[in-house]
Amino acid sequence: MEELAIKMSNIVKSFGSAAPVLKDVTLKVGVGEIHALLGENGAGKSTLMNVLGGVIPMDSGKIELFGKEVSISNAKESQNYGVSFIHQELNVVNDMLVYENMFLGYEEETKWKCLKRNEMIRKSQEIFDSMNVNLDPLELVGNMPASSKQILEIAKSLLRKAKIIIMDEPTTSLTVPEIEQVFDLMRGLAKKGVTIIFISHKLGEVVEFCDKYTVLRNGEMVAFGQVTDEKGEKISTEEIARMMTGKDVQGLEIYKPRPMGEEVLRVEGLSSGRYFHDISFSVHKGEILGFTGLLGDGKEELVRCLFGDIPKTGGKVILNGQEVHFKSPKQATKHKVGFLPSDRKENAIIKDLSVAENMTIVALKKCMKGGVYLSHKEEHNVTSRYKETLHIKLGNYNDLITSLSGGNQQKVVLAKWLYAKPDVMILCNPTQGVDIGAKNEIYNEIFEIAKTGVAVIVTSGEAQEIMKLCDRVKVMFHGEMNGTLEREELDEETIMILSTGAGQRKGE
């Protein structure tokens, strides 16, 4: 009989008077198993793991770890049982050094209560060496890229000798080699008996990486099984998507052709220090222009420069026929440029504000009555409208934005800009951390934006996303433009060749 690391039985959880988020859910995971926990945004995955991680209490049910029933009332107790939760929204402190993050809450002290600084640095370096990663214990975390922060989170769990590791969207900010490195590391840990729960909307990774899966839908467990059957055949991503949504969503044709109008934005020879050099392109009304490449290729910095977040060191930006010089995002917003950043937690949501307040903050004047005071009724009307349009799952308009799942937060950020009605809409990784069903909803809304005549710029490292959305694609490599692909030329192989610098196709 299989030895179970985790057995969560008949878990029920509600928030206030709302319908239960978890309805009698059971989860069984074996020792040393890599188990995928799947479902759409709002299906209950994060809530179930927050119960296991001690972040929130369950209303009823039973938790057994390694055959013994346990009571988990806070995160510290969960960690004491050997559970480590690596959240989708990274839990690092940017103003502290790497080794300080590694030992935060677990500081080593002398008998005189002095910190053992050198000892903590040494142990941090040992963990990094065992992982074969290049992290400096003395580097300020705020200076590190997102991929290094993700690896730091994994290193923290290894330092604490975790027996169970929950990984929520762990590869979102990683390059392909880094993903393979993390997978190799996790496989090695699983062979040593570490149990891994893997939450991801990248279904290809689930098929490649996991042993078993559990699917939640609307707070209920709807499927459980082996990724590879007795004949050695793997489950298809289409079948997983069908179980998650209750319908066929992967086979849908997403792209919608539409008329395009006059030029809205032209960029000539734009440069910004070490980030990117001599970039030129134009985008027209109704067009969806894509930028892709590998992590660190400069595409994110390029669009941040267009939004006034990074200064340009050369070149021109011409908007609606007039040269503009944006020195701040506020100036760009006033010129009707919208921007959905890739880092939702740090740059897109305001955690202390409600769903309605987050949705209307960019165009707050439109919610003013008589230009004198804020109309909460109008705020709620706006929220209600986009809740229906984007199928946002929320309890109350006045709930904090942090009460929503990551995917639903992303929809709120998108709705914020839909309400503002920009002339140019820049979308960085627009479906990052979003399930396949919600991805299609967001894609459809992007096409609707373009159909109204908005010039849309999309950056994404996912070739499939670029191919589904874009009319033209610019491929970047090491801060330079390495090629332009028309829609009929788009395929994953060509995109990868240009992204890696193996080929070159210049042109507007």
Side-chain angles (χ1 to χ4, degrees):
M1 187 174 180
E2 181 186 29
E3 182 184 359
L4 293 179
I6 304 165
K7 184 177 179 183
M8 302 179 75
S9 306
N10 311 112
I11 305 297
V12 175
K13 178 62 185 177
S14 297
F15 293 99
S17 58
V21 178
L22 298 175
K23 309 167 189 174
D24 201 35
V25 174
T26 292
L27 174 70
K28 297 179 181 179
V29 184
V31 173
E33 182 177 297
I34 304 175
H35 193 104
L37 183 61
L38 306 170
E40 295 186 273
N41 292 114
K45 307 182 302 297
S46 294
T47 302
L48 185 65
M49 290 300 95
N50 280 331
V51 169
L52 179 60
V55 179
I56 58 175
M58 61 186 175
D59 296 338
S60 62
K62 184 169 73 170
I63 301 176
E64 297 172 71
L65 298 180
F66 303 100
K68 295 181 179 179
E69 184 173 352
V70 298
S71 176
I72 300 174
S73 58
N74 57 58
K76 190 77 172 180
E77 284 184 0
S78 178
Q79 291 166 6
N80 290 339
Y81 284 118
V83 178
S84 178
F85 197 156
I86 301 174
H87 294 269
Q88 178 183 350
E89 309 291 0
L90 297 179
N91 191 27
V92 294
V93 181
N94 287 327
D95 295 328
M96 298 179 73
L97 302 179
V98 167
Y99 87 88
E100 292 171 330
N101 270 270
M102 286 283 285
F103 283 88
L104 187 61
Y106 296 84
E107 292 83 357
E108 295 193 0
E109 299 175 332
T110 67
K111 61 181 179 180
W112 295 285
K113 298 297 179 181
C114 295
L115 291 175
K116 295 182 178 179
R117 181 177 182 273
N118 291 337
E119 183 69 4
M120 289 187 286
I121 293 171
R122 183 187 66 78
K123 288 184 177 179
S124 296
Q125 190 61 59
E126 282 182 358
I127 294 291
F128 302 151
D129 289 343
S130 71
M131 295 171 67
N132 194 29
V133 296
N134 186 25
L135 291 184
D136 181 357
L138 295 175
E139 184 173 2
L140 187 69
V141 170
N143 294 337
M144 293 164 50
S147 56
S148 295
K149 293 179 184 180
Q150 181 67 266
I151 292 170
L152 172 59
E153 286 277 46
I154 297 169
K156 283 162 61 178
S157 68
L158 299 184
L159 180 69
R160 292 164 178 71
K161 296 181 170 54
K163 300 176 185 176
I164 298 168
I165 300 177
I166 305 165
M167 306 181 75
D168 191 356
E169 297 288 350
T171 64
T172 299
S173 303
L174 304 185
T175 63
V176 173
E178 286 170 335
I179 290 171
E180 286 301 321
Q181 183 180 352
V182 170
F183 282 1
D184 287 342
L185 177 66
M186 294 296 106
R187 289 187 187 103
L189 290 173
K191 287 179 181 178
K192 296 176 182 178
V194 176
T195 300
I196 298 166
I197 297 179
F198 186 75
I199 303 173
S200 178
H201 292 123
K202 297 181 180 180
L203 302 186
E205 292 181 356
V206 169
V207 172
E208 175 191 350
F209 184 51
C210 298
D211 304 312
K212 293 182 180 179
Y213 63 86
T214 295
V215 180
L216 301 184
R217 191 193 311 152
N218 296 325
E220 299 180 277
M221 199 264 289
V222 296
F224 167 83
Q226 299 269 1
V227 170
T228 306
D229 65 19
E230 295 176 354
K231 297 179 183 179
E233 296 182 359
K234 289 183 177 288
I235 191 172
S236 69
T237 57
E238 290 81 7
E239 189 174 349
I240 296 174
R242 202 174 300 118
M243 288 186 287
M244 288 169 58
T245 64
K247 55 189 175 184
D248 187 3
V249 292
Q250 276 210 332
L252 295 176
E253 178 59 39
I254 299 297
Y255 180 78
K256 296 178 182 178
R258 76 218 76 83
M260 298 178 204
E262 63 194 36
E263 179 182 285
V264 179
L265 179 72
R266 172 168 287 275
V267 172
E268 299 177 354
L270 193 65
S271 300
S272 182
R274 60 188 173 88
Y275 297 120
F276 58 87
H277 318 281
D278 195 26
I279 303 295
S280 298
F281 66 91
S282 65
V283 58
H284 296 72
K285 282 187 175 182
E287 182 179 15
I288 301 176
L289 176 66
F291 284 84
T292 192
L294 303 179
L295 199 67
D297 59 13
K299 61 183 179 294
E300 301 295 328
E301 290 79 8
L302 169 63
V303 292
R304 285 174 61 194
C305 181
L306 293 177
F307 194 58
D309 189 39
I310 291 177
K312 66 183 176 70
T313 54
K316 294 181 179 180
V317 177
I318 301 164
L319 179 64
N320 292 320
Q322 299 291 322
E323 186 174 358
V324 292
H325 304 275
F326 299 148
K327 295 183 178 180
S328 70
K330 185 177 180 180
Q331 289 182 343
T333 302
K334 282 185 176 180
H335 281 78
K336 303 190 76 172
V337 177
F339 185 81
L340 189 153
S342 56
D343 192 332
R344 179 175 54 243
K345 180 181 178 182
E346 292 192 15
N347 300 318
I349 65 169
I350 302 176
K351 292 181 283 187
D352 296 328
L353 296 185
S354 69
V355 173
E357 290 166 334
N358 268 274
M359 197 177 290
T360 58
I361 192 165
V362 172
L364 202 57
K365 287 183 179 179
K366 295 168 72 172
C367 287
M368 302 295 284
K369 196 162 185 178
V372 179
Y373 64 90
L374 182 64
S375 169
H376 295 295
K377 181 179 179 181
E378 178 60 21
E379 273 193 327
H380 289 177
N381 287 340
V382 171
T383 310
S384 180
R385 185 196 321 162
Y386 289 111
K387 175 189 175 185
E388 298 303 319
T389 302
L390 295 174
H391 302 96
I392 302 172
K393 296 178 182 177
L394 57 88
N396 188 287
Y397 305 140
N398 294 319
D399 290 343
L400 289 178
I401 184 74
T402 51
S403 68
L404 304 186
S405 66
N408 283 300
Q409 289 179 21
Q410 187 79 335
K411 290 182 183 181
V412 170
V413 177
L414 179 59
K416 170 177 71 177
W417 289 109
L418 293 180
Y419 182 54
K421 297 188 184 303
D423 289 338
V424 178
M425 185 68 234
I426 301 169
L427 304 159
C428 295
N429 299 316
T431 61
Q432 183 167 296
V434 172
D435 65 74
I436 183 119
K439 275 187 177 185
N440 288 345
E441 292 169 359
I442 290 175
Y443 292 155
N444 284 330
E445 203 55 43
I446 291 171
F447 284 117
E448 289 301 310
I449 295 171
K451 203 161 91 174
T452 65
V454 175
V456 179
I457 296 173
V458 174
T459 72
S460 177
E462 294 186 31
Q464 282 292 331
E465 181 160 84
I466 286 291
M467 290 163 62
K468 286 179 178 178
L469 279 174
C470 299
D471 303 301
R472 282 186 305 142
V473 174
K474 302 285 186 178
V475 185
M476 294 188 67
F477 175 70
H478 286 183
E480 297 183 350
M481 198 75 74
N482 200 43
T484 300
L485 298 173
E486 300 298 329
R487 174 146 195 89
E488 59 272 14
E489 299 177 295
L490 293 177
D491 63 70
E492 289 194 62
E493 182 180 358
T494 304
I495 290 173
M496 182 53 65
I497 288 172
L498 292 173
S499 296
T500 56
Q504 190 176 51
R505 295 180 55 166
K506 299 288 185 183
E508 171 60 24

